Amino acid sequence: MDISQLKREAGVKACQMVEDGMTLGVGTGSTVAYFIEELGRRHREEGLCAHCVPTSIRSAEALRKAGMEVCDIDKVGRIDLTVDGADAVDPDLNGLKGLGGALLWEKIVAENTDHYVWIVDERKLVPSLRGKVCLEVVKFGSGRLLKELEECGLNPSFKQGENGPALTDSSNYLIELDLGEIKDPAFLATDLKQRTGVIEHGMFLGMVDEVIVARENGVEIIKKAIA
Ligand code: 5RP
């Protein structure tokens, strides 16, 4: 089975969780695109309506195209359910997000959500977090911040767009850290967050309630262990 088919299966499964009238957070990325497509199908064929809070301009546009209502996060109450993608998920359901550049809005939406779900294909499951960690940073002084991160051995580089550094939907820059295994994710998250100029990082630790994993042999749902 090809990867896009797995992504579609995860998106379709997550869409079964959506109930009419919900306030719904909608993530960003190629897997979420299938979720939005399925929302559109349910809207057309079943009359499904939801107050959708998008995590990026891209997702807002796709939702509108699918016929869904798009709402301002400041105009809704708590978000009932948010469905988003992820770049890597460890066995404790900690994850890395943001390679699509939308991590700041994604984290804000996630933090205002009652039930937070990721949809991934099986390649995203990893024994421990490693690889690219994305940071959204203010433009001012970002060159100095890059040097500071370099001196700490964090292998930073600006994410590039078509004409220079990529800009987020909040007009900030993105710095990607290219890391090996992250031995202590909580320590790194605190360290990154306290650096002046860093607005947010793409480590989503202990946030997700459920992960829908599309595998070659079917869809698996992994739920957060209750403490
Ligand atoms: C965007 C994200 C995406 O959810 C993440 O990058 C996964 O994307 P995809 O489904 O395309 O692999 O965090 O900021």
Side-chain angles (χ1 to χ4, degrees), residues 135-146:
L135 309 177
E136 180 149 348
V137 305
V138 290
K139 282 185 197 166
F140 184 81
S142 56
R144 301 184 79 92
L145 177 62
L146 190 93

Side-chain angles (χ1 to χ4, degrees), residues 7 28-32 84-87 97-103 106 119 124:
K7 290 179 182 187
T28 297
S30 57
T31 316
V32 166
D84 202 349
D87 299 309
K97 285 185 47 55
L99 292 185
L103 69 99
E106 289 173 337
I119 47 177
K124 305 284 184 72

Side-chain angles (χ1 to χ4, degrees), residues 56-95:
S56 61
I57 293 170
R58 251 175 304 159
S59 290
E61 283 166 359
L63 283 162
R64 283 197 192 95
K65 254 196 196 150
M68 302 301 291
E69 180 196 356
V70 172
C71 301
D72 181 333
I73 188 167
D74 290 325
K75 303 264 161 61
V76 296
R78 278 296 285 179
I79 297 166
D80 298 303
L81 167 72
T82 288
V83 176
D84 202 349
D87 299 309
V89 185
D90 79 6
D92 296 324
L93 304 191
N94 295 317

Side-chain angles (χ1 to χ4, degrees), residues 106-158:
E106 289 173 337
K107 202 173 268 187
I108 293 170
V109 169
E111 284 178 352
N112 286 283
T113 292
D114 287 338
H115 195 72
Y116 183 40
V117 175
W118 285 339
I119 47 177
V120 295
D121 61 79
E122 58 188 340
R123 298 169 313 159
K124 305 284 184 72
L125 296 185
V126 293
S128 59
L129 298 182
R130 62 182 308 119
K132 294 234 164 107
V133 173
C134 197
L135 309 177
E136 180 149 348
V137 305
V138 290
K139 282 185 197 166
F140 184 81
S142 56
R144 301 184 79 92
L145 177 62
L146 190 93
K147 277 211 184 89
E148 181 187 316
L149 295 165
E150 225 160 46
E151 282 161 17
C152 296
L154 295 172
N155 295 324
S157 58
F158 284 108

